[in-house]
Amino acid sequence: MNTEKPLSGRVSSRASTLVDLIATVTEKIERDSSTRDRGRKLAHKEVRLLADSGLLTIRIPAEYGGRGADFMQIAKLFVALGQADPNVAQAVLTHFGFIERLMLTGSPEQKRRYFELIMQGRVVAGAFAERGGKFVGDITTCLSRQGDSYRLSGQKYYCTGSLYADYLNILAIGDGGGRVIAVCPVDRPGLALVDDWDGMGQRTTASGTVTLNDVIVEPGEVMEFTAGLERRTHLGSSAQLLHAAIDTGIALAALTDAMKFARERARPVPESGVDKAADDPYVLHAVGEMAVIAHGAVAMINHAAHLLEEGANSVLSGKADNELLARTSIVVAEAKAIANDACLRVSEWLYRVGGASSTSRTLNFDRHWRNARTHTTHDPVAYKYKAIADFYMNGRLPPISTKI
């Protein structure tokens, strides 16, 4: 693969359909993904390419200038991004989450303001997680009213995509004790970004620390967070589907590298009785299993995306169907569980195909497993299996959660 071609900041107008546009952009993003991983070179140009191409606006409703893409199209984008570079895919996931939350809970003024900014090419990331606390998800960052504005103070960790972003949506505790979202430009005084993510995988997600020291927040920059916590919506399922799509993309990337290596570089063992590794029955068996697992994840992603579109439409139309949304949560959980297994197994089985020579650091095939193992730690899949079984066996609805 030629890594010396310039990375264009714009995409040709010939990429007229969304499918063509996704293929054109992800091909460029994939070009140097292994090199970026080896050197932990952040993907600033690649994220900028995504923004300039318009792909980060496709979920925005047509009335605000977007394509109004459905979840089947969004899922295809994230599978393709996950295959090209799962770091870039994860870095922009919260951008799409912000769009979804804005559609659901944003005021008319906030929708006009932030959709316009995104249409102009602005990128949004999230700052949610904190260290400490008794449970995962506990937060202490405070948004306090002071006169006609607010002050935001605290420290956030694992802020995926923050170093690529123009704006952050930041989870905080409001004066009343409830959770709220504050939307701030990254150059706001008192807001500092630190590039300190050192995970073994997903090395270039730009998941740094964000320090907030008495940051001024205007009233129009504060959004509701309770939707998705106190009533059943599609927000948790939509985020989980995109995570599953990333895992599926990792599986497909590992499968592609395994097949290419088997065809072009692997040598058969003498006992195989064949002249090339691509004819070795055990290599074929391994690749066959890898293909079934990876393509099964793709099929489940598509199925879940179709159901999620129905659930999202019920919520956004103001006629939320609780039973449909619960079933959507379960099907998305199934998709996430399958994708979790697919990316881990396929990225490890790659070495059954290539043998010792496939472990060369020059090839950097281990990035697939490192990315898979790192990304899948974000969400305990065991709780998905529990919720799935409880739904089918006992008829219990899944919890209202961003994780199920």
Side-chain angles (χ1 to χ4, degrees):
M1 188 167 294
N2 187 353
T3 61
E4 296 182 357
K5 293 180 182 178
L7 183 65
S8 170
R10 295 286 175 180
V11 175
S12 169
S13 60
R14 289 178 297 177
S16 55
T17 70
L18 185 55
V19 171
D20 290 338
L21 183 60
I22 291 172
T24 300
V25 172
T26 54
E27 180 182 4
K28 294 182 178 182
I29 289 173
E30 189 273 341
R31 187 180 298 158
D32 294 323
S33 60
S34 178
T35 301
R36 289 193 297 274
D37 172 86
R38 278 202 303 267
R40 199 183 172 273
K41 181 180 179 182
L42 295 182
H44 289 286
K45 291 191 297 184
E46 288 69 26
V47 173
R48 188 71 259 154
L49 173 63
L50 270 176
D52 289 344
S53 73
L55 282 174
L56 298 187
T57 72
I58 62 174
R59 180 61 178 164
I60 293 175
E63 64 188 286
Y64 295 99
R67 290 180 182 244
D70 59 33
F71 276 107
M72 283 76 80
Q73 294 168 315
I74 301 298
K76 289 182 186 300
L77 168 62
F78 270 81
V79 169
L81 279 176
Q83 186 170 3
D85 187 339
N87 295 266
V88 173
Q90 189 181 350
V92 300
L93 191 152
T94 51
H95 176 95
F96 281 85
F98 176 74
I99 290 173
E100 210 62 39
R101 183 172 298 281
L102 191 59
M103 290 168 62
L104 182 59
T105 68
S107 68
E109 294 77 14
Q110 287 173 329
K111 290 177 183 178
R112 284 193 295 269
R113 176 183 182 181
Y114 292 116
F115 283 149
E116 181 179 356
L117 287 170
I118 294 172
M119 290 301 301
Q120 292 172 356
R122 304 298 196 277
V123 178
V124 182
F128 296 91
E130 298 184 14
R131 292 175 182 164
K134 183 177 181 180
F135 298 105
V136 173
D138 286 351
I139 64 169
T140 59
T141 296
C142 293
L143 183 73
S144 303
R145 187 89 189 209
Q146 292 189 17
D148 295 331
S149 61
Y150 295 85
R151 296 295 186 273
L152 181 66
S153 293
Q155 193 165 39
K156 297 291 186 177
Y157 298 91
Y158 318 120
C159 302
T160 303
S162 57
L163 297 168
Y164 303 131
D166 301 294
Y167 286 80
L168 296 179
N169 65 117
I170 303 163
L171 181 61
I173 301 295
D175 286 333
R179 296 189 172 199
V180 295
I181 292 289
V183 186
C184 295
V186 295
D187 59 358
R188 181 71 54 84
L191 191 158
L193 306 176
V194 183
D195 181 12
D196 59 356
W197 167 244
D198 65 350
M200 68 174 183
Q202 295 297 87
R203 292 174 173 175
T204 63
T205 54
S207 301
T209 295
V210 173
T211 299
L212 306 156
N213 184 16
D214 208 27
V215 177
I216 296 175
V217 179
E218 299 301 331
E221 297 173 327
V222 179
M223 293 176 57
E224 176 191 351
F225 184 76
T226 53
L229 293 177
E230 296 179 352
R231 64 182 186 274
R232 199 178 296 279
T233 73
H234 67 294
L235 290 180
S237 293
S238 63
Q240 287 298 296
L241 180 72
L242 301 190
H243 281 295
I246 293 172
D247 290 341
T248 300
I250 294 172
L252 292 172
L255 174 63
T256 297
D257 276 347
M259 292 190 296
K260 180 179 174 61
F261 192 85
R263 285 193 298 261
E264 299 178 1
R265 297 187 57 173
R267 295 179 298 167
V269 297
E271 296 88 346
S272 67
V274 297
D275 295 328
K276 56 183 181 178
D279 289 330
D280 186 315
Y282 293 106
V283 169
L284 291 173
H285 182 273
V287 171
E289 282 201 66
M290 293 162 71
V292 167
I293 294 168
H295 296 153
V298 173
M300 194 65 198
I301 291 290
N302 292 338
H303 172 54
H306 179 79
L307 193 60
L308 177 59
E309 181 65 15
E310 292 184 30
N313 286 339
S314 79
V315 173
L316 295 172
S317 67
K319 301 176 181 178
D321 184 330
N322 193 62
E323 183 178 345
L324 171 62
L325 290 167
R327 188 156 46 91
T328 298
S329 292
I330 292 300
V331 173
V332 170
E334 290 178 311
K336 183 65 173 68
I338 289 172
N340 181 100
D341 191 41
C343 67
L344 290 171
R345 292 172 68 185
V346 175
S347 61
E348 194 276 328
W349 285 359
L350 184 156
Y351 297 100
R352 297 186 183 185
V353 173
S357 59
S358 64
T359 66
S360 168
R361 294 186 68 180
T362 301
L363 296 170
N364 199 28
F365 286 160
D366 63 296
R367 74 186 187 280
H368 299 307
W369 184 86
R370 287 187 288 101
N371 289 334
R373 183 66 279 178
T374 301
H375 186 244
T376 55
T377 61
H378 288 66
D379 189 9
V381 73
Y383 281 90
K384 296 192 183 302
Y385 286 118
K386 175 181 178 293
I388 291 164
D390 216 10
F391 178 78
Y392 288 129
M393 291 184 65
N394 302 314
R396 296 192 184 99
L397 299 186
I400 298 176
S401 168
T402 59
K403 296 295 186 183
I404 299 293

